[in-house]
Amino acid sequence: MRSSSSPLTRALLIVAPWLLILALWYAIRASGLVNPALVPAPHMVLAKFVELSRGRLWEDIYTSTQRVFVGVALGVSLAVPVGFCLGWYRGLRSFMDPVINFFRALPPIALIPLVIVYFGIGEAAKTAILFYASFFAGVIVMYEGIAQISPIYIKVARTLGASDLEIFGKVIVPLTIPHILTAVRVALGVAWATLVASELIAAQQGLGALIQNASSFFQLDIIYVGIICIGVIALVMDLLLRLATRRLVAWQDRIA
């Protein structure tokens, strides 16, 4: 059923939470409950963003985005077939489930010393941290999703005379696509959340490095700029994926 709300109403609903956050931000600063020196005002953060934009900020954004993209691409590329096998073969899932959940529970930041030992302090180490976070997040989403696919679709296809190849290409793959896209979305969120940890490894560029360097000199406005940039980029990526998901799985709505 289509919403009857006007475009203006929808726009207000989108903008309202952000206006509320800004109002709360100013209120906390003005309340005296927190030292104003510890809470830079939004307009001060915006001014710092404009100042940094004239320098290396865009390079930091590009570097971090590239690292996340590579880590997620590698992690999801492996997570999709592994998650599919775990979800499709119940015995394999029962065998591997404790191992998957054990490694998924380990925070990537705890692995940094080992990553440095095995991968050094270059880009490979940062990619390894992001790969680790993306892979296990993607595997969990994939195998939980695949395990919920009803066998009735396979039985109906076999009844209609479909071959195994036709069943895989025309039944299983379309049913798997929504779970793949969800796995990518979850992996992206986890990767951005892990970015700062990955850039603890001797990073000279990147938003995580920007935040770490600013924290050393107590430059709170720069820290806020770095955090907001990470959130905005992650939000834009998620919105694009949600748009792609709606287009690619529109057939599900028609079936429903």
Side-chain angles (χ1 to χ4, degrees), residues 25-92:
W25 189 345
Y26 275 114
I28 291 174
R29 178 179 167 82
S31 67
L33 297 174
V34 181
N35 187 342
L38 301 179
V39 186
H43 65 270
M44 297 170 62
V45 175
L46 178 61
K48 181 58 66 173
F49 170 79
V50 173
E51 177 186 335
L52 293 175
S53 296
R54 301 191 185 103
R56 49 169 277 188
L57 179 62
W58 297 112
E59 293 180 13
D60 289 330
I61 290 173
Y62 173 78
T63 300
S64 291
T65 304
Q66 183 183 48
R67 285 170 180 157
V68 168
F69 180 81
V70 172
V72 170
L74 293 175
V76 172
S77 296
L78 185 59
V80 168
V82 171
F84 180 86
C85 291
L86 291 175
W88 197 254
Y89 300 105
R90 187 181 301 273
L92 181 62

Side-chain angles (χ1 to χ4, degrees), residues 10 40 67 85 90 99 135 153-154 174 178 202 211-212 235 242-243:
R10 290 196 295 270
R67 285 170 180 157
C85 291
R90 187 181 301 273
V99 176
F135 171 75
Y153 297 108
I154 312 298
I211 293 171
Q212 292 297 324
L235 177 61
R242 289 162 80 177
L243 179 61

Side-chain angles (χ1 to χ4, degrees), residues 194-219:
T194 312
L195 175 69
V196 176
S198 73
E199 291 183 342
L200 285 172
I201 307 175
Q204 299 301 316
Q205 283 189 324
L207 293 172
L210 178 73
I211 293 171
Q212 292 297 324
N213 293 335
S215 67
S216 301
F217 298 98
F218 206 65
Q219 297 171 313

Side-chain angles (χ1 to χ4, degrees), residues 9 33 36 49 52 69 134 136 146 148 153 183 186 192 196:
T9 302
L33 297 174
F49 170 79
L52 293 175
F69 180 81
S134 303
F136 286 102
I146 297 298
Q148 294 173 10
Y153 297 108
V186 173
W192 278 111
V196 176

Side-chain angles (χ1 to χ4, degrees), residues 105-179:
L106 295 178
I109 195 170
L111 303 176
I112 287 179
L114 290 177
V115 169
I116 292 174
V117 169
Y118 297 130
F119 295 95
I121 59 173
E123 286 299 313
K126 301 170 185 61
T127 301
I129 290 290
L130 294 171
F131 166 83
Y132 178 92
S134 303
F135 171 75
F136 286 102
V139 163
I140 294 295
V141 173
M142 276 299 298
Y143 90 65
E144 290 289 350
I146 297 298
Q148 294 173 10
I149 293 179
S150 175
I152 191 65
Y153 297 108
I154 312 298
K155 294 178 181 178
V156 170
R158 290 196 188 282
T159 301
L160 295 174
S163 65
D164 289 344
L165 185 60
E166 288 174 328
I167 291 173
F168 183 80
K170 296 183 179 180
V171 178
I172 297 175
V173 170
L175 290 173
T176 304
I177 287 176
H179 304 301

